[in-house]
């Protein structure tokens, strides 16, 4: 009886190890960002197409929209925004490059302030859209 139980336990252990190896070796891997790569490739070519900038951070969210020849905060009664500031921010976003991968552990995202924006989050989000509402960068 003991030999039979040991054989069954050994077989189950071997199957578990083989299954674990298969899961690890066949799981899709995402390439870590390489230093110096643009965070938003192609944005620099479409920077003039940006018609809306949405900024979300905890409870302070707002949007900046292209308004004729300038920019305005439509959700703040059309308050005008300086064109030079918007242009500088857009160029800075288009030129943003990666430095290094900070972590692959989602449980650390909140600690380093890269978690998705939300009511209890320290992270933030910037979304750039064109005139048709298509996302150019997020």
């Amino acid at each position: 009886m003991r030999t039979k139980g040991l054989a069954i336990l050994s077989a189950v252990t071997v199957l578990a190890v083989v299954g674990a190896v298969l899961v690890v070796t066949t799981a899709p891997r995402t390439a870590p960002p390489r230093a110096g790569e643009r965070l938003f490739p192609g944005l620099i070519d479409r920077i003039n197409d940006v018609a809306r900038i949405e900024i979300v951070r905890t409870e302070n969210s707002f949007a900046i929209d292209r308004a004729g020849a300038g920019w305005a905060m439509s959700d703040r009664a059309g308050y005008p925004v300086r064109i030079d500031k918007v242009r500088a921010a857009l160029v800075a976003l288009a030129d943003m490059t990666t430095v290094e991968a900070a972590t692959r552990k989602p449980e650390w995202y909140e600690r380093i302030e890269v978690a998705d924006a939300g009511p209890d989050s320290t992270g933030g989000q910037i979304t750039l859209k064109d005139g048709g509402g298509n996302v150019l960068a997020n």
Side-chain angles (χ1 to χ4, degrees), residues 30-68:
T30 56
R34 291 185 289 181
E37 288 185 352
R38 285 206 168 154
L39 191 59
F40 305 113
L43 178 59
I44 196 73
D45 299 327
R46 301 209 47 208
I47 201 164
N48 291 326
D49 296 339
V50 176
R52 183 175 178 85
I53 304 167
E54 296 174 353
I55 300 171
V56 177
R57 181 141 176 122
T58 313
E59 295 176 12
N60 189 11
S61 302
F62 60 94
I64 302 170
D65 294 298
R66 190 181 297 266

Side-chain angles (χ1 to χ4, degrees), residues 83-98:
I83 295 172
D84 59 325
K85 298 293 184 182
V86 172
R87 186 177 301 131
L90 291 175
V91 170
L93 284 169
D95 284 339
M96 190 180 295
T97 58
T98 57

